[in-house]
Amino acid sequence: MIIKNGLVYQEDKTFVKKDLYINDGKIVEGPEEVTDKTEVDATGLLVLPGLVDVHSHGAVGCDFSDGDMEGLGKILTYERAHGVTSYCPTSMTIDKEELRRIFKAMGSFTESGEMAHVAGINMEGPFLDVNKKGAHLAEHVMKPDVDFFRECNAASGNKIRLVTLAPNVEGAMEFTRALRDEVVISLGHTAADYETSRQALQAGANHVTHLCNAMMPLEHRKPGLIGAASEDENCYAELISDGIHVHESMVRAVFKMFPGRVVLISDSMRATGMADGTYDLGGQQVTVNGKLATLADGTIAGSATNLYDCMRTAVSFGIPREEAIAAATMNPAKSIGVYGQVGSLTPGKRADVVLADQELKLVKVI
């Protein structure tokens, strides 16, 4: 396949008008390497890498924590149709036996049809701070447990890429040091102060779970996790830019505080792509009204927005288009160690391609 005359997004965050060559599912250097000469006219269109969502629980009425692989297939089909071609299904803080079950089921999952590719699993719970549990059930929160993590990872076929950890709970530093070479340690759901957060980053954590949400705020005398992570040049920060979770002024501030390190995520739940109503998330009832999803006590419970729309919302907040695209493609791929396969339109990588108009309205997913 040859995508003709498009404005192709480059690794240096610029657009260059040129053709893009695809052969056998991979991006190649030139036309001589292409066996299928089918042409796609992209005149006037932006040619983008497929988006990479490293934190999403579900969509279209399905949730990864259901442990239903048919449901996961529906989520992946929805995500691909909305420009997300690499995806990390994300677990909640649920019963240990249920976690074992869903990870074991994931170990035998096979992608088919028009689905997003599973880039790995995001294990958001249960190693959280109960004081910042958010929409997670307190009764299933547990202390960091290296053996339990390894058991879950083995059951999944070693597919867990990310695990969320509250650095201020007992055993967190030991957990980080033991597993920092096996999985990305993401700090979140925590009341940790600056000093504790910095210690965890020095111990090997290099990611933050939905920055600003379920953590201490950035204060001038108590900068907390946000301040500590902003100073660590190796630390990526997830950000939900759905217009609900984080004020647009803070979205702009985060892009300045974390240059080249913002990872846009959806944190979407099963109501995404569905009508307003009442849904389940991790065993709790969630009411969805437009983009807003809340528990009975008013706690925001995940989002009802896909990553592509979050990227467009970030642009509407004043984030330069090129930076928002990087935060939904290159940065997340780098943050979980899959940039060698996806995240940019570089020869040798998987040919996950999105065509969009100048306003980033989705035109076609290849």
Side-chain angles (χ1 to χ4, degrees):
M1 178 183 292
I2 303 175
I3 300 176
K4 301 281 291 185
N5 302 316
L7 295 168
V8 181
Y9 186 71
Q10 307 294 297
E11 288 186 288
D12 65 359
K13 304 177 188 177
T14 62
F15 286 97
V16 174
K17 185 176 181 180
K18 64 177 186 179
D19 298 341
L20 188 71
Y21 304 99
I22 298 171
N23 191 67
D24 194 25
K26 300 284 186 180
I27 298 170
V28 295
E29 292 281 0
E32 67 280 354
E33 300 179 61
V34 178
T35 54
D36 176 3
K37 304 294 184 180
T38 300
E39 294 186 358
V40 175
D41 184 10
T43 302
L45 297 178
L46 307 178
V47 183
L48 312 177
L51 274 58
V52 181
D53 194 348
V54 303
H55 187 153
S56 165
H57 300 278
V60 290
C62 305
D63 190 298
F64 175 58
S65 290
D66 294 340
D68 175 9
M69 295 302 102
E70 182 179 347
L72 176 59
K74 292 177 181 178
I75 295 169
L76 296 173
T77 300
Y78 168 86
E79 295 295 341
R80 185 190 181 281
H82 290 82
V84 178
T85 55
S86 295
Y87 183 85
C88 289
T90 304
S91 60
M92 289 287 291
T93 299
I94 56 179
D95 179 77
K96 288 176 69 173
E97 288 304 319
E98 282 298 293
L99 282 173
R100 290 186 178 100
R101 182 180 68 84
I102 65 170
F103 290 136
K104 184 177 181 180
M106 189 67 213
S108 59
F109 176 73
T110 302
E111 297 167 20
S112 62
E114 300 290 294
M115 294 183 184
H117 171 68
V118 174
I121 298 169
N122 182 340
M123 186 177 182
E124 189 179 5
F127 312 126
L128 313 180
D129 176 355
V130 72
N131 295 305
K132 289 290 182 181
K133 62 182 177 58
H136 294 251
L137 277 172
E139 64 196 75
H140 297 309
V141 170
M142 60 182 285
K143 294 178 182 178
D145 186 327
V146 172
D147 292 337
F148 180 64
F149 169 81
R150 286 178 172 155
E151 179 188 350
C152 291
N153 197 25
S156 76
N158 295 312
K159 292 179 180 178
I160 300 178
R161 288 272 181 181
L162 274 167
V163 59
T164 295
L165 179 72
N168 59 317
V169 301
E170 181 183 347
M173 298 303 166
E174 293 81 0
F175 184 95
T176 301
R177 295 187 185 100
L179 294 173
R180 62 190 177 190
D181 296 326
E182 298 177 32
V183 66
V184 175
I185 308 289
S186 187
L187 305 180
H189 282 279
T190 177
D193 59 17
Y194 172 86
E195 290 75 16
T196 303
S197 300
R198 188 177 182 186
Q199 183 183 355
L201 291 164
Q202 292 171 340
N206 60 358
H207 196 99
V208 178
T209 299
H210 44 54
L211 192 81
C212 301
N213 298 117
M215 64 188 60
M216 304 305 290
L218 179 67
E219 295 184 9
H220 64 296
R221 291 193 184 94
K222 297 178 180 179
L225 174 55
I226 299 172
S230 71
E231 295 173 339
D232 187 329
E233 295 182 354
N234 297 313
C235 182
Y236 288 89
E238 297 177 358
L239 186 67
I240 310 171
S241 180
D242 62 350
I244 298 291
H245 280 76
V246 182
H247 191 278
E248 64 176 273
S249 177
M250 193 62 181
V251 170
R252 291 188 289 269
V254 167
F255 271 84
K256 293 175 183 176
M257 293 172 66
F258 291 81
R261 297 185 283 129
V262 176
V263 173
L264 289 178
I265 62 167
S266 68
D267 196 14
S268 65
M269 47 91 70
R270 70 172 79 243
T272 304
M274 303 288 283
D276 290 354
T278 301
Y279 298 88
D280 172 83
L281 178 66
Q284 298 187 83
Q285 183 174 298
V286 177
T287 300
V288 176
N289 184 6
K291 291 183 178 181
L292 180 63
T294 56
L295 300 179
D297 64 1
T299 300
I300 296 177
S303 88
T305 307
N306 63 61
L307 178 59
Y308 197 91
D309 287 342
C310 287
M311 178 181 71
R312 295 190 69 206
T313 298
V315 174
S316 76
F317 288 166
I319 303 303
R321 183 176 64 179
E322 293 77 8
E323 291 296 331
I325 293 168
T329 57
M330 290 194 288
N331 298 355
K334 291 176 180 177
S335 78
I336 62 167
V338 298
Y339 192 57
Q341 295 81 50
V342 297
S344 70
L345 300 176
T346 307
K349 293 190 178 183
R350 198 166 65 241
D352 295 341
V353 184
V354 169
L355 303 184
D357 68 14
Q358 295 295 323
E359 285 72 46
L360 285 179
K361 291 180 181 177
L362 187 63
V363 174
K364 186 178 180 66
V365 181
I366 298 172

mmCIF file with all atom_site columns, all heavy atoms in Angstrom, residues 83-105:
data_model
loop_
_atom_site.group_PDB
_atom_site.id
_atom_site.type_symbol
_atom_site.label_atom_id
_atom_site.label_alt_id
_atom_site.label_comp_id
_atom_site.label_asym_id
_atom_site.label_entity_id
_atom_site.label_seq_id
_atom_site.pdbx_PDB_ins_code
_atom_site.Cartn_x
_atom_site.Cartn_y
_atom_site.Cartn_z
_atom_site.occupancy
_atom_site.B_iso_or_equiv
_atom_site.pdbx_formal_charge
_atom_site.auth_seq_id
_atom_site.auth_comp_id
_atom_site.auth_asym_id
_atom_site.auth_atom_id
_atom_site.pdbx_PDB_model_num
ATOM 1   N N   . GLY A 1 83  ? -9.152  5.308   16.283 1.00 0.00 ? 83  GLY A N   1
ATOM 2   C CA  . GLY A 1 83  ? -7.772  5.752   16.098 1.00 0.00 ? 83  GLY A CA  1
ATOM 3   C C   . GLY A 1 83  ? -6.755  5.204   17.070 1.00 0.00 ? 83  GLY A C   1
ATOM 4   O O   . GLY A 1 83  ? -5.571  5.521   16.978 1.00 0.00 ? 83  GLY A O   1
ATOM 5   N N   . VAL A 1 84  ? -7.201  4.392   18.040 1.00 0.00 ? 84  VAL A N   1
ATOM 6   C CA  . VAL A 1 84  ? -6.278  3.804   19.020 1.00 0.00 ? 84  VAL A CA  1
ATOM 7   C C   . VAL A 1 84  ? -5.887  2.418   18.513 1.00 0.00 ? 84  VAL A C   1
ATOM 8   O O   . VAL A 1 84  ? -6.714  1.505   18.494 1.00 0.00 ? 84  VAL A O   1
ATOM 9   C CB  . VAL A 1 84  ? -6.924  3.708   20.416 1.00 0.00 ? 84  VAL A CB  1
ATOM 10  C CG1 . VAL A 1 84  ? -5.969  3.046   21.402 1.00 0.00 ? 84  VAL A CG1 1
ATOM 11  C CG2 . VAL A 1 84  ? -7.332  5.092   20.904 1.00 0.00 ? 84  VAL A CG2 1
ATOM 12  N N   . THR A 1 85  ? -4.641  2.254   18.114 1.00 0.00 ? 85  THR A N   1
ATOM 13  C CA  . THR A 1 85  ? -4.211  0.994   17.508 1.00 0.00 ? 85  THR A CA  1
ATOM 14  C C   . THR A 1 85  ? -3.351  0.155   18.441 1.00 0.00 ? 85  THR A C   1
ATOM 15  O O   . THR A 1 85  ? -3.085  -1.012  18.149 1.00 0.00 ? 85  THR A O   1
ATOM 16  C CB  . THR A 1 85  ? -3.442  1.259   16.205 1.00 0.00 ? 85  THR A CB  1
ATOM 17  O OG1 . THR A 1 85  ? -2.356  2.163   16.466 1.00 0.00 ? 85  THR A OG1 1
ATOM 18  C CG2 . THR A 1 85  ? -4.365  1.889   15.159 1.00 0.00 ? 85  THR A CG2 1
ATOM 19  N N   . SER A 1 86  ? -2.890  0.733   19.552 1.00 0.00 ? 86  SER A N   1
ATOM 20  C CA  . SER A 1 86  ? -2.191  -0.017  20.599 1.00 0.00 ? 86  SER A CA  1
ATOM 21  C C   . SER A 1 86  ? -2.844  0.326   21.932 1.00 0.00 ? 86  SER A C   1
ATOM 22  O O   . SER A 1 86  ? -3.109  1.494   22.213 1.00 0.00 ? 86  SER A O   1
ATOM 23  C CB  . SER A 1 86  ? -0.703  0.334   20.636 1.00 0.00 ? 86  SER A CB  1
ATOM 24  O OG  . SER A 1 86  ? -0.058  -0.066  19.454 1.00 0.00 ? 86  SER A OG  1
ATOM 25  N N   . TYR A 1 87  ? -3.048  -0.684  22.774 1.00 0.00 ? 87  TYR A N   1
ATOM 26  C CA  . TYR A 1 87  ? -3.950  -0.512  23.914 1.00 0.00 ? 87  TYR A CA  1
ATOM 27  C C   . TYR A 1 87  ? -3.495  -1.386  25.074 1.00 0.00 ? 87  TYR A C   1
ATOM 28  O O   . TYR A 1 87  ? -3.105  -2.537  24.884 1.00 0.00 ? 87  TYR A O   1
ATOM 29  C CB  . TYR A 1 87  ? -5.355  -0.916  23.468 1.00 0.00 ? 87  TYR A CB  1
ATOM 30  C CG  . TYR A 1 87  ? -6.463  -0.756  24.487 1.00 0.00 ? 87  TYR A CG  1
ATOM 31  C CD1 . TYR A 1 87  ? -7.113  0.459   24.660 1.00 0.00 ? 87  TYR A CD1 1
ATOM 32  C CD2 . TYR A 1 87  ? -6.892  -1.850  25.242 1.00 0.00 ? 87  TYR A CD2 1
ATOM 33  C CE1 . TYR A 1 87  ? -8.170  0.589   25.570 1.00 0.00 ? 87  TYR A CE1 1
ATOM 34  C CE2 . TYR A 1 87  ? -7.939  -1.730  26.155 1.00 0.00 ? 87  TYR A CE2 1
ATOM 35  C CZ  . TYR A 1 87  ? -8.570  -0.498  26.308 1.00 0.00 ? 87  TYR A CZ  1
ATOM 36  O OH  . TYR A 1 87  ? -9.609  -0.365  27.200 1.00 0.00 ? 87  TYR A OH  1
ATOM 37  N N   . CYS A 1 88  ? -3.544  -0.810  26.271 1.00 0.00 ? 88  CYS A N   1
ATOM 38  C CA  . CYS A 1 88  ? -3.253  -1.570  27.490 1.00 0.00 ? 88  CYS A CA  1
ATOM 39  C C   . CYS A 1 88  ? -4.534  -1.733  28.305 1.00 0.00 ? 88  CYS A C   1
ATOM 40  O O   . CYS A 1 88  ? -4.939  -0.801  29.016 1.00 0.00 ? 88  CYS A O   1
ATOM 41  C CB  . CYS A 1 88  ? -2.197  -0.859  28.341 1.00 0.00 ? 88  CYS A CB  1
ATOM 42  S SG  . CYS A 1 88  ? -0.541  -0.879  27.652 1.00 0.00 ? 88  CYS A SG  1
ATOM 43  N N   . PRO A 1 89  ? -5.196  -2.883  28.234 1.00 0.00 ? 89  PRO A N   1
ATOM 44  C CA  . PRO A 1 89  ? -6.358  -3.098  29.096 1.00 0.00 ? 89  PRO A CA  1
ATOM 45  C C   . PRO A 1 89  ? -5.931  -2.992  30.550 1.00 0.00 ? 89  PRO A C   1
ATOM 46  O O   . PRO A 1 89  ? -4.887  -3.521  30.941 1.00 0.00 ? 89  PRO A O   1
ATOM 47  C CB  . PRO A 1 89  ? -6.811  -4.515  28.733 1.00 0.00 ? 89  PRO A CB  1
ATOM 48  C CG  . PRO A 1 89  ? -5.638  -5.157  28.068 1.00 0.00 ? 89  PRO A CG  1
ATOM 49  C CD  . PRO A 1 89  ? -4.880  -4.058  27.426 1.00 0.00 ? 89  PRO A CD  1
ATOM 50  N N   . THR A 1 90  ? -6.739  -2.305  31.353 1.00 0.00 ? 90  THR A N   1
ATOM 51  C CA  . THR A 1 90  ? -6.327  -1.915  32.697 1.00 0.00 ? 90  THR A CA  1
ATOM 52  C C   . THR A 1 90  ? -7.256  -2.503  33.749 1.00 0.00 ? 90  THR A C   1
ATOM 53  O O   . THR A 1 90  ? -8.481  -2.367  33.667 1.00 0.00 ? 90  THR A O   1
ATOM 54  C CB  . THR A 1 90  ? -6.300  -0.374  32.794 1.00 0.00 ? 90  THR A CB  1
ATOM 55  O OG1 . THR A 1 90  ? -5.442  0.135   31.760 1.00 0.00 ? 90  THR A OG1 1
ATOM 56  C CG2 . THR A 1 90  ? -5.800  0.078   34.151 1.00 0.00 ? 90  THR A CG2 1
ATOM 57  N N   . SER A 1 91  ? -6.663  -3.146  34.740 1.00 0.00 ? 91  SER A N   1
ATOM 58  C CA  . SER A 1 91  ? -7.434  -3.785  35.805 1.00 0.00 ? 91  SER A CA  1
ATOM 59  C C   . SER A 1 91  ? -7.753  -2.797  36.918 1.00 0.00 ? 91  SER A C   1
ATOM 60  O O   . SER A 1 91  ? -7.112  -1.760  37.063 1.00 0.00 ? 91  SER A O   1
ATOM 61  C CB  . SER A 1 91  ? -6.676  -4.986  36.372 1.00 0.00 ? 91  SER A CB  1
ATOM 62  O OG  . SER A 1 91  ? -5.427  -4.589  36.911 1.00 0.00 ? 91  SER A OG  1
ATOM 63  N N   . MET A 1 92  ? -8.742  -3.153  37.722 1.00 0.00 ? 92  MET A N   1
ATOM 64  C CA  . MET A 1 92  ? -9.139  -2.377  38.889 1.00 0.00 ? 92  MET A CA  1
ATOM 65  C C   . MET A 1 92  ? -8.705  -3.111  40.164 1.00 0.00 ? 92  MET A C   1
ATOM 66  O O   . MET A 1 92  ? -8.174  -4.220  40.118 1.00 0.00 ? 92  MET A O   1
ATOM 67  C CB  . MET A 1 92  ? -10.657 -2.192  38.900 1.00 0.00 ? 92  MET A CB  1
ATOM 68  C CG  . MET A 1 92  ? -11.190 -1.252  37.838 1.00 0.00 ? 92  MET A CG  1
ATOM 69  S SD  . MET A 1 92  ? -10.845 0.491   38.174 1.00 0.00 ? 92  MET A SD  1
ATOM 70  C CE  . MET A 1 92  ? -11.898 0.789   39.609 1.00 0.00 ? 92  MET A CE  1
ATOM 71  N N   . THR A 1 93  ? -8.942  -2.482  41.308 1.00 0.00 ? 93  THR A N   1
ATOM 72  C CA  . THR A 1 93  ? -8.701  -3.123  42.595 1.00 0.00 ? 93  THR A CA  1
ATOM 73  C C   . THR A 1 93  ? -9.911  -3.989  42.925 1.00 0.00 ? 93  THR A C   1
ATOM 74  O O   . THR A 1 93  ? -10.933 -3.499  43.389 1.00 0.00 ? 93  THR A O   1
ATOM 75  C CB  . THR A 1 93  ? -8.471  -2.063  43.684 1.00 0.00 ? 93  THR A CB  1
ATOM 76  O OG1 . THR A 1 93  ? -7.333  -1.290  43.332 1.00 0.00 ? 93  THR A OG1 1
ATOM 77  C CG2 . THR A 1 93  ? -8.235  -2.708  45.037 1.00 0.00 ? 93  THR A CG2 1
ATOM 78  N N   . ILE A 1 94  ? -9.772  -5.277  42.647 1.00 0.00 ? 94  ILE A N   1
ATOM 79  C CA  . ILE A 1 94  ? -10.862 -6.222  42.880 1.00 0.00 ? 94  ILE A CA  1
ATOM 80  C C   . ILE A 1 94  ? -10.312 -7.408  43.680 1.00 0.00 ? 94  ILE A C   1
ATOM 81  O O   . ILE A 1 94  ? -9.131  -7.450  44.026 1.00 0.00 ? 94  ILE A O   1
ATOM 82  C CB  . ILE A 1 94  ? -11.499 -6.687  41.555 1.00 0.00 ? 94  ILE A CB  1
ATOM 83  C CG1 . ILE A 1 94  ? -10.442 -7.292  40.623 1.00 0.00 ? 94  ILE A CG1 1
ATOM 84  C CG2 . ILE A 1 94  ? -12.198 -5.526  40.866 1.00 0.00 ? 94  ILE A CG2 1
ATOM 85  C CD1 . ILE A 1 94  ? -11.000 -7.808  39.301 1.00 0.00 ? 94  ILE A CD1 1
ATOM 86  N N   . ASP A 1 95  ? -11.159 -8.357  43.966 1.00 0.00 ? 95  ASP A N   1
ATOM 87  C CA  . ASP A 1 95  ? -10.763 -9.531  44.737 1.00 0.00 ? 95  ASP A CA  1
ATOM 88  C C   . ASP A 1 95  ? -9.564  -10.236 44.097 1.00 0.00 ? 95  ASP A C   1
ATOM 89  O O   . ASP A 1 95  ? -9.467  -10.341 42.871 1.00 0.00 ? 95  ASP A O   1
ATOM 90  C CB  . ASP A 1 95  ? -11.951 -10.492 44.810 1.00 0.00 ? 95  ASP A CB  1
ATOM 91  C CG  . ASP A 1 95  ? -11.639 -11.760 45.566 1.00 0.00 ? 95  ASP A CG  1
ATOM 92  O OD1 . ASP A 1 95  ? -11.598 -11.721 46.806 1.00 0.00 ? 95  ASP A OD1 1
ATOM 93  O OD2 . ASP A 1 95  ? -11.412 -12.788 44.891 1.00 0.00 ? 95  ASP A OD2 1
ATOM 94  N N   . LYS A 1 96  ? -8.653  -10.739 44.934 1.00 0.00 ? 96  LYS A N   1
ATOM 95  C CA  . LYS A 1 96  ? -7.428  -11.372 44.442 1.00 0.00 ? 96  LYS A CA  1
ATOM 96  C C   . LYS A 1 96  ? -7.722  -12.536 43.508 1.00 0.00 ? 96  LYS A C   1
ATOM 97  O O   . LYS A 1 96  ? -7.045  -12.705 42.485 1.00 0.00 ? 96  LYS A O   1
ATOM 98  C CB  . LYS A 1 96  ? -6.570  -11.851 45.619 1.00 0.00 ? 96  LYS A CB  1
ATOM 99  C CG  . LYS A 1 96  ? -5.895  -10.730 46.390 1.00 0.00 ? 96  LYS A CG  1
ATOM 100 C CD  . LYS A 1 96  ? -5.136  -11.258 47.597 1.00 0.00 ? 96  LYS A CD  1
ATOM 101 C CE  . LYS A 1 96  ? -3.925  -12.071 47.205 1.00 0.00 ? 96  LYS A CE  1
ATOM 102 N NZ  . LYS A 1 96  ? -3.097  -12.454 48.378 1.00 0.00 ? 96  LYS A NZ  1
ATOM 103 N N   . GLU A 1 97  ? -8.724  -13.334 43.834 1.00 0.00 ? 97  GLU A N   1
ATOM 104 C CA  . GLU A 1 97  ? -9.053  -14.473 42.980 1.00 0.00 ? 97  GLU A CA  1
ATOM 105 C C   . GLU A 1 97  ? -9.555  -14.006 41.621 1.00 0.00 ? 97  GLU A C   1
ATOM 106 O O   . GLU A 1 97  ? -9.278  -14.629 40.587 1.00 0.00 ? 97  GLU A O   1
ATOM 107 C CB  . GLU A 1 97  ? -10.083 -15.374 43.660 1.00 0.00 ? 97  GLU A CB  1
ATOM 108 C CG  . GLU A 1 97  ? -9.532  -16.170 44.822 1.00 0.00 ? 97  GLU A CG  1
ATOM 109 C CD  . GLU A 1 97  ? -8.330  -17.028 44.427 1.00 0.00 ? 97  GLU A CD  1
ATOM 110 O OE1 . GLU A 1 97  ? -8.361  -17.635 43.334 1.00 0.00 ? 97  GLU A OE1 1
ATOM 111 O OE2 . GLU A 1 97  ? -7.355  -17.075 45.201 1.00 0.00 ? 97  GLU A OE2 1
ATOM 112 N N   . GLU A 1 98  ? -10.309 -12.903 41.623 1.00 0.00 ? 98  GLU A N   1
ATOM 113 C CA  . GLU A 1 98  ? -10.787 -12.353 40.354 1.00 0.00 ? 98  GLU A CA  1
ATOM 114 C C   . GLU A 1 98  ? -9.628  -11.818 39.525 1.00 0.00 ? 98  GLU A C   1
ATOM 115 O O   . GLU A 1 98  ? -9.600  -11.977 38.303 1.00 0.00 ? 98  GLU A O   1
ATOM 116 C CB  . GLU A 1 98  ? -11.813 -11.246 40.614 1.00 0.00 ? 98  GLU A CB  1
ATOM 117 C CG  . GLU A 1 98  ? -13.189 -11.759 40.968 1.00 0.00 ? 98  GLU A CG  1
ATOM 118 C CD  . GLU A 1 98  ? -13.800 -12.572 39.832 1.00 0.00 ? 98  GLU A CD  1
ATOM 119 O OE1 . GLU A 1 98  ? -14.107 -11.989 38.776 1.00 0.00 ? 98  GLU A OE1 1
ATOM 120 O OE2 . GLU A 1 98  ? -13.950 -13.800 40.002 1.00 0.00 ? 98  GLU A OE2 1
ATOM 121 N N   . LEU A 1 99  ? -8.673  -11.173 40.178 1.00 0.00 ? 99  LEU A N   1
ATOM 122 C CA  . LEU A 1 99  ? -7.484  -10.706 39.450 1.00 0.00 ? 99  LEU A CA  1
ATOM 123 C C   . LEU A 1 99  ? -6.737  -11.882 38.823 1.00 0.00 ? 99  LEU A C   1
ATOM 124 O O   . LEU A 1 99  ? -6.333  -11.821 37.660 1.00 0.00 ? 99  LEU A O   1
ATOM 125 C CB  . LEU A 1 99  ? -6.559  -9.925  40.385 1.00 0.00 ? 99  LEU A CB  1
ATOM 126 C CG  . LEU A 1 99  ? -6.975  -8.490  40.709 1.00 0.00 ? 99  LEU A CG  1
ATOM 127 C CD1 . LEU A 1 99  ? -6.054  -7.903  41.766 1.00 0.00 ? 99  LEU A CD1 1
ATOM 128 C CD2 . LEU A 1 99  ? -6.969  -7.614  39.457 1.00 0.00 ? 99  LEU A CD2 1
ATOM 129 N N   . ARG A 1 100 ? -6.570  -12.932 39.600 1.00 0.00 ? 100 ARG A N   1
ATOM 130 C CA  . ARG A 1 100 ? -5.895  -14.119 39.056 1.00 0.00 ? 100 ARG A CA  1
ATOM 131 C C   . ARG A 1 100 ? -6.647  -14.642 37.829 1.00 0.00 ? 100 ARG A C   1
ATOM 132 O O   . ARG A 1 100 ? -6.036  -15.033 36.820 1.00 0.00 ? 100 ARG A O   1
ATOM 133 C CB  . ARG A 1 100 ? -5.815  -15.215 40.119 1.00 0.00 ? 100 ARG A CB  1
ATOM 134 C CG  . ARG A 1 100 ? -4.857  -14.941 41.274 1.00 0.00 ? 100 ARG A CG  1
ATOM 135 C CD  . ARG A 1 100 ? -4.753  -16.165 42.183 1.00 0.00 ? 100 ARG A CD  1
ATOM 136 N NE  . ARG A 1 100 ? -3.804  -15.975 43.276 1.00 0.00 ? 100 ARG A NE  1
ATOM 137 C CZ  . ARG A 1 100 ? -4.133  -15.664 44.516 1.00 0.00 ? 100 ARG A CZ  1
ATOM 138 N NH1 . ARG A 1 100 ? -5.425  -15.504 44.830 1.00 0.00 ? 100 ARG A NH1 1
ATOM 139 N NH2 . ARG A 1 100 ? -3.212  -15.504 45.446 1.00 0.00 ? 100 ARG A NH2 1
ATOM 140 N N   . ARG A 1 101 ? -7.970  -14.638 37.920 1.00 0.00 ? 101 ARG A N   1
ATOM 141 C CA  . ARG A 1 101 ? -8.789  -15.185 36.834 1.00 0.00 ? 101 ARG A CA  1
ATOM 142 C C   . ARG A 1 101 ? -8.666  -14.365 35.560 1.00 0.00 ? 101 ARG A C   1
ATOM 143 O O   . ARG A 1 101 ? -8.480  -14.920 34.469 1.00 0.00 ? 101 ARG A O   1
ATOM 144 C CB  . ARG A 1 101 ? -10.254 -15.248 37.276 1.00 0.00 ? 101 ARG A CB  1
ATOM 145 C CG  . ARG A 1 101 ? -11.188 -15.855 36.227 1.00 0.00 ? 101 ARG A CG  1
ATOM 146 C CD  . ARG A 1 101 ? -12.623 -15.893 36.723 1.00 0.00 ? 101 ARG A CD  1
ATOM 147 N NE  . ARG A 1 101 ? -13.211 -14.567 36.853 1.00 0.00 ? 101 ARG A NE  1
ATOM 148 C CZ  . ARG A 1 101 ? -13.779 -13.908 35.827 1.00 0.00 ? 101 ARG A CZ  1
ATOM 149 N NH1 . ARG A 1 101 ? -13.815 -14.435 34.624 1.00 0.00 ? 101 ARG A NH1 1
ATOM 150 N NH2 . ARG A 1 101 ? -14.316 -12.713 36.031 1.00 0.00 ? 101 ARG A NH2 1
ATOM 151 N N   . ILE A 1 102 ? -8.748  -13.033 35.690 1.00 0.00 ? 102 ILE A N   1
ATOM 152 C CA  . ILE A 1 102 ? -8.708  -12.222 34.472 1.00 0.00 ? 102 ILE A CA  1
ATOM 153 C C   . ILE A 1 102 ? -7.315  -12.218 33.846 1.00 0.00 ? 102 ILE A C   1
ATOM 154 O O   . ILE A 1 102 ? -7.179  -12.217 32.617 1.00 0.00 ? 102 ILE A O   1
ATOM 155 C CB  . ILE A 1 102 ? -9.200  -10.779 34.716 1.00 0.00 ? 102 ILE A CB  1
ATOM 156 C CG1 . ILE A 1 102 ? -8.275  -10.003 35.653 1.00 0.00 ? 102 ILE A CG1 1
ATOM 157 C CG2 . ILE A 1 102 ? -10.619 -10.770 35.222 1.00 0.00 ? 102 ILE A CG2 1
ATOM 158 C CD1 . ILE A 1 102 ? -8.595  -8.523  35.731 1.00 0.00 ? 102 ILE A CD1 1
ATOM 159 N N   . PHE A 1 103 ? -6.267  -12.258 34.666 1.00 0.00 ? 103 PHE A N   1
ATOM 160 C CA  . PHE A 1 103 ? -4.925  -12.300 34.096 1.00 0.00 ? 103 PHE A CA  1
ATOM 161 C C   . PHE A 1 103 ? -4.669  -13.639 33.417 1.00 0.00 ? 103 PHE A C   1
ATOM 162 O O   . PHE A 1 103 ? -4.020  -13.704 32.370 1.00 0.00 ? 103 PHE A O   1
ATOM 163 C CB  . PHE A 1 103 ? -3.874  -12.029 35.173 1.00 0.00 ? 103 PHE A CB  1
ATOM 164 C CG  . PHE A 1 103 ? -3.865  -10.607 35.654 1.00 0.00 ? 103 PHE A CG  1
ATOM 165 C CD1 . PHE A 1 103 ? -3.781  -10.305 37.007 1.00 0.00 ? 103 PHE A CD1 1
ATOM 166 C CD2 . PHE A 1 103 ? -3.947  -9.550  34.766 1.00 0.00 ? 103 PHE A CD2 1
ATOM 167 C CE1 . PHE A 1 103 ? -3.772  -9.003  37.461 1.00 0.00 ? 103 PHE A CE1 1
ATOM 168 C CE2 . PHE A 1 103 ? -3.942  -8.230  35.202 1.00 0.00 ? 103 PHE A CE2 1
ATOM 169 C CZ  . PHE A 1 103 ? -3.854  -7.954  36.552 1.00 0.00 ? 103 PHE A CZ  1
ATOM 170 N N   . LYS A 1 104 ? -5.186  -14.721 33.997 1.00 0.00 ? 104 LYS A N   1
ATOM 171 C CA  . LYS A 1 104 ? -5.039  -16.029 33.365 1.00 0.00 ? 104 LYS A CA  1
ATOM 172 C C   . LYS A 1 104 ? -5.783  -16.064 32.032 1.00 0.00 ? 104 LYS A C   1
ATOM 173 O O   . LYS A 1 104 ? -5.279  -16.598 31.033 1.00 0.00 ? 104 LYS A O   1
ATOM 174 C CB  . LYS A 1 104 ? -5.558  -17.128 34.293 1.00 0.00 ? 104 LYS A CB  1
ATOM 175 C CG  . LYS A 1 104 ? -5.348  -18.531 33.750 1.00 0.00 ? 104 LYS A CG  1
ATOM 176 C CD  . LYS A 1 104 ? -5.813  -19.586 34.746 1.00 0.00 ? 104 LYS A CD  1
ATOM 177 C CE  . LYS A 1 104 ? -5.573  -20.993 34.207 1.00 0.00 ? 104 LYS A CE  1
ATOM 178 N NZ  . LYS A 1 104 ? -6.021  -22.037 35.177 1.00 0.00 ? 104 LYS A NZ  1
ATOM 179 N N   . ALA A 1 105 ? -6.985  -15.487 32.002 1.00 0.00 ? 105 ALA A N   1
ATOM 180 C CA  . ALA A 1 105 ? -7.750  -15.429 30.758 1.00 0.00 ? 105 ALA A CA  1
ATOM 181 C C   . ALA A 1 105 ? -7.003  -14.631 29.703 1.00 0.00 ? 105 ALA A C   1
ATOM 182 O O   . ALA A 1 105 ? -6.995  -14.983 28.518 1.00 0.00 ? 105 ALA A O   1
ATOM 183 C CB  . ALA A 1 105 ? -9.132  -14.820 31.015 1.00 0.00 ? 105 ALA A CB  1
#
